């Protein structure tokens, strides 16, 4: 299992990279997104949404846990931080095996519900607007997706 690395120098570059990824995603794709507060998870998701053809404004689903957006494929943006000490299953299987693409922030809190195969991303600060994006594809379909955008 390889880990890939991509560096961006601005929020625009982060969004552009994510848009490129979004443009090749397929139904049932699941991405986990980790990073410190302010690392750029929402910025990344906005770019991903653009690549999926979503026209609505994307913002963090911190209080709603799951937000749905329509595009070429539906985007299910989840922020499961509030489920840290919960056993609550909000129908994750239906989302993960559904017609859209799932982006899960704070996925560590629902580890038991995550599909075995997925694309794990970690965004880190590298300077003012510079970010490092680590991509860890788990499963051959995600390995192919990452190779296609790198």
């Amino acid at each position: 299992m390889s880990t890939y690395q991509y560096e961006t120098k601005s929020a625009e570059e982060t969004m552009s990279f994510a848009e490129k990824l979004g443009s090749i995603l397929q139904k049932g794709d699941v991405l986990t997104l980790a990073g410190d507060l302010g690392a750029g998870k929402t910025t990344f998701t906005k770019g991903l949404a653009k690549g999926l053809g979503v026209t609505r404004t994307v913002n963090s689903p911190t209080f709603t846990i799951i937000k749905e957006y329509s595009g070429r494929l539906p985007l299910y943006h989840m922020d499961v931080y509030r489920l840290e000490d919960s056993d609550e299953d909000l129908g994750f299987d239906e989302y993960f095996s559904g017609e859209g693409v799932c982006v899960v922030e704070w996925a560590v809190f629902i580890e038991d519900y995550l599909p075995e195969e997925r694309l794990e991303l970690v965004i880190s600060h590298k300077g003012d607007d510079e970010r490092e994006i680590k991509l860890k594809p788990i499963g051959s379909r995600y390995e192919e997706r990452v190779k296609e955008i790198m």
Side-chain angles (χ1 to χ4, degrees):
M1 206 165 9
S2 303
T3 299
Y4 300 83
Q5 194 171 304
Y6 191 84
E7 293 194 11
T8 63
K9 303 220 178 302
S10 66
E12 292 75 23
E13 275 188 29
T14 299
M15 282 182 68
S16 178
F17 178 71
E19 182 179 352
K20 193 171 162 185
L21 176 59
S23 72
I24 63 165
L25 292 176
Q26 300 297 318
K27 79 176 191 172
D29 281 348
V30 176
L31 288 69
T32 62
L33 204 47
D36 293 333
L37 209 57
K41 295 183 298 291
T42 300
T43 298
F44 185 90
T45 304
K46 286 179 180 186
L48 198 74
K50 194 172 177 190
L52 286 166
V54 172
T55 54
R56 255 179 61 213
T57 301
V58 171
N59 47 38
S60 184
T62 304
F63 298 104
T64 54
I65 300 176
I66 301 172
K67 283 192 174 178
E68 299 183 19
Y69 300 93
S70 297
R72 170 179 66 83
L73 294 169
L75 171 63
Y76 307 118
H77 184 195
M78 305 175 186
D79 181 336
V80 297
Y81 182 79
R82 297 171 149 279
L83 301 179
E84 180 176 6
D85 296 316
S86 170
D87 290 348
E88 194 171 355
D89 178 358
L90 301 173
F92 295 119
D93 274 353
E94 290 178 35
Y95 286 102
F96 296 150
S97 61
E99 295 297 308
V101 170
C102 295
V103 174
V104 185
E105 295 185 33
W106 300 99
V108 65
F109 297 134
I110 62 162
E111 194 79 45
D112 294 344
Y113 299 106
L114 291 172
E116 208 171 285
E117 294 192 358
R118 59 189 181 260
L119 177 57
E120 296 180 345
L121 298 111
V122 178
I123 303 175
S124 309
H125 288 274
K126 284 303 200 197
D128 292 339
D129 293 325
E130 295 173 23
R131 299 292 183 268
E132 175 186 83
I133 303 167
K134 287 188 177 162
L135 303 95
K136 182 180 168 191
I138 303 172
S140 58
R141 82 195 245 182
Y142 297 105
E143 189 79 42
E144 292 303 314
R145 306 255 195 292
V146 171
K147 284 179 180 171
E148 195 172 328
I149 62 164
M150 298 302 274

